[in-house]
Amino acid sequence: MIIRIALRNLLHDRVRLAVTLTGVVFAVVLIAVQGGLFVGFTRATSCVIENTEAEIWVASRGVRNFDVTHPLPDHKFHQILGVPGVGRAERFIVRFANWKKPAGGQESVEIIGFDPGSGLGRPWIVTAGSEAALLLPDAVAVDEIYLAKLGVKGLGDRAEINDRRARVVALTRGIRSFTTSPYIFTSYENGLKYASLGRSQSAYVLVRPAPGVTAQALRDAIAAGVADVDVFTREEFARKTQHYWMFTTGAGMALLIAASLGLVVGGVVVAQTLYATTVDHLPEFGTLRAMGAPGGYIHRIIVAQAVAAALVGYGFGIVISYFLVGLAERGGASIVLPPGMAVGLFFLTVVMCVTAGLVSIRKVTSIDPAMVFRGA
């Protein structure tokens, strides 16, 4: 009976119901898209770190994020090799460079130089060509989504990086950069040339512990045995990079504020329409009170109205959100809407609508049952 009354109240005025659902859908879509941008950008800032097999990252002192660091001299690499517990260590290059398109024009790119022999820091999703081909001179791998941006069409195309020849020998998929500069994977030797670094210099040293040695223990050992370096586990460096880009630069806060505004605006719209619906039906609620219905019964009707609006609005909103995520993915934007986030957004939508419905409960609670007889 409660659900039937609640649905009849909502359907009594179809225009008002449409306004209510529009508010819910707007809130769901805005929160989903802004939250998805936040999750996508957060993952993009540290995707190279999290997808490498290296458990320890060693950088020059004072590094703040993955993308910007000072070169490590070669003697640091040899000192790291001498630390007990090191199973394998490889030099790794991260440097911004200029990509000259075959047809003219330039784009900023981010060179990722790694040792294809060890695989530490390699591209993790190769869809065409081969990783082994990166050992060849001037060989590079680019992501499919950046082909048009870089002015190339596929395997075999040539360009220039910092006025040095480059040839596409492999394509990756889904490896997006947080910055506007696409990642360009290449061998360490090629990376030295493209990044204009001195012989045997590197941006990082990637380390794997020997069997039986934990990442935390090896991190502490390297920090104690090698001076003037910062040492992180993979998870620590990922969190540090994420925090820098999402909070230190203000980018993450802007997305969170936008998502919060969506929640507030949607809540206000729903509260206004549910309140108006309740006021329109005050005589009916008064009749229920005159018939002896307790206040809790009427409260449950209002909550049922709010939950019904939440369910329908969420259904439309989440479908639209996934549609927009698909469009954004094809356009190169990094929006991620994982299942856990969608479930959390469902409960958030229900809480928002129920909270908005509680605004009108006070009006119902103050109903005088005698109003029914006075109206008669």
Side-chain angles (χ1 to χ4, degrees):
M1 180 63 72
I2 291 176
I3 296 177
R4 184 183 303 173
I5 295 174
L7 293 178
R8 285 181 176 178
N9 284 348
L10 287 174
L11 295 172
H12 179 262
D13 189 335
R14 302 296 176 89
V15 174
R16 187 164 288 160
L17 174 61
V19 173
T20 302
L21 294 180
T22 299
V24 178
V25 170
F26 172 81
V28 170
V29 172
L30 186 56
I31 295 171
V33 171
Q34 295 296 330
L37 278 171
F38 182 84
V39 173
F41 284 170
T42 300
R43 291 186 179 181
T45 60
S46 58
C47 66
V48 176
I49 302 171
E50 294 177 322
N51 285 281
T52 183
E53 297 176 359
E55 297 180 46
I56 301 293
W57 287 69
V58 184
S60 59
R61 179 65 57 85
V63 64
R64 302 181 67 185
N65 60 79
F66 167 80
D67 302 276
V68 181
T69 185
H70 296 292
L72 277 171
D74 190 49
H75 70 270
K76 296 293 183 184
F77 172 70
H78 294 287
Q79 288 177 1
I80 293 168
L81 284 176
V83 175
V86 171
R88 189 179 188 97
E90 296 293 345
R91 302 177 182 91
F92 190 70
I93 293 173
V94 178
R95 274 292 181 276
F96 287 98
N98 290 321
W99 173 283
K100 186 176 180 180
K101 301 178 184 179
Q106 289 189 346
E107 289 288 345
S108 173
V109 296
E110 195 165 356
I111 301 298
I112 304 293
F114 71 104
D115 176 18
S118 70
L120 295 183
R122 64 188 174 188
W124 52 98
I125 304 177
V126 177
T127 58
S130 69
E131 180 185 321
L134 293 174
L135 286 168
L136 299 172
D138 308 327
V140 300
V142 302
D143 198 84
E144 295 172 338
I145 202 166
Y146 294 122
L147 288 175
K149 180 182 179 73
L150 297 175
V152 293
K153 296 181 180 179
L155 298 179
D157 283 5
R158 299 177 182 273
E160 291 184 5
I161 301 176
N162 284 349
D163 298 322
R164 296 180 181 273
R165 290 178 300 178
R167 182 168 58 91
V168 179
V169 300
L171 298 179
T172 64
R173 177 175 296 166
I175 304 181
R176 292 182 173 85
S177 169
F178 172 73
T179 65
T180 58
S181 304
Y183 291 131
I184 304 296
F185 287 86
T186 188
S187 68
Y188 172 76
E189 297 296 332
N190 288 331
L192 285 175
K193 177 180 61 176
Y194 293 139
S196 300
L197 291 175
R199 184 66 188 172
S200 300
Q201 282 189 322
S202 60
Y204 299 97
V205 175
L206 307 187
V207 184
R208 295 196 68 182
V213 179
T214 65
Q216 291 74 17
L218 183 56
R219 173 201 60 194
D220 295 341
I222 295 175
V226 183
D228 298 323
V229 296
D230 286 337
V231 189
F232 308 95
T233 64
R234 178 172 50 216
E235 293 75 16
E236 290 170 344
F237 195 37
R239 287 195 300 268
K240 183 179 182 68
T241 296
Q242 291 170 358
H243 184 272
Y244 175 83
W245 285 116
M246 304 311 295
F247 296 105
T248 304
T249 63
M253 291 305 300
L255 295 174
L256 290 178
I257 290 173
S260 300
L261 287 176
L263 179 63
V264 172
V265 171
V268 169
V269 172
V270 174
Q272 287 179 331
T273 52
L274 288 181
Y275 182 83
T277 299
T278 301
V279 171
D280 284 348
H281 292 85
L282 280 181
E284 288 85 350
F285 287 128
T287 301
L288 290 174
R289 292 294 300 274
M291 294 172 61
Y297 183 84
I298 298 176
H299 296 171
R300 288 195 292 274
I301 293 175
I302 296 175
V303 171
Q305 291 178 185
V307 171
L311 293 176
V312 178
Y314 174 82
F316 283 112
I318 201 66
V319 169
I320 295 173
S321 298
Y322 274 112
F323 175 73
L324 294 177
V325 168
L327 288 180
E329 185 175 354
R330 288 193 290 271
S334 181
I335 303 179
V336 178
L337 190 56
M341 182 177 172
V343 172
L345 182 56
F346 168 75
F347 289 107
L348 181 62
T349 305
V350 172
V351 170
M352 177 190 72
C353 291
V354 170
T355 303
L358 295 178
V359 174
S360 60
I361 282 182
R362 184 173 178 273
K363 186 70 175 178
V364 175
T365 304
S366 61
I367 294 176
D368 181 4
M371 68 176 292
V372 178
F373 303 102
R374 287 198 296 269

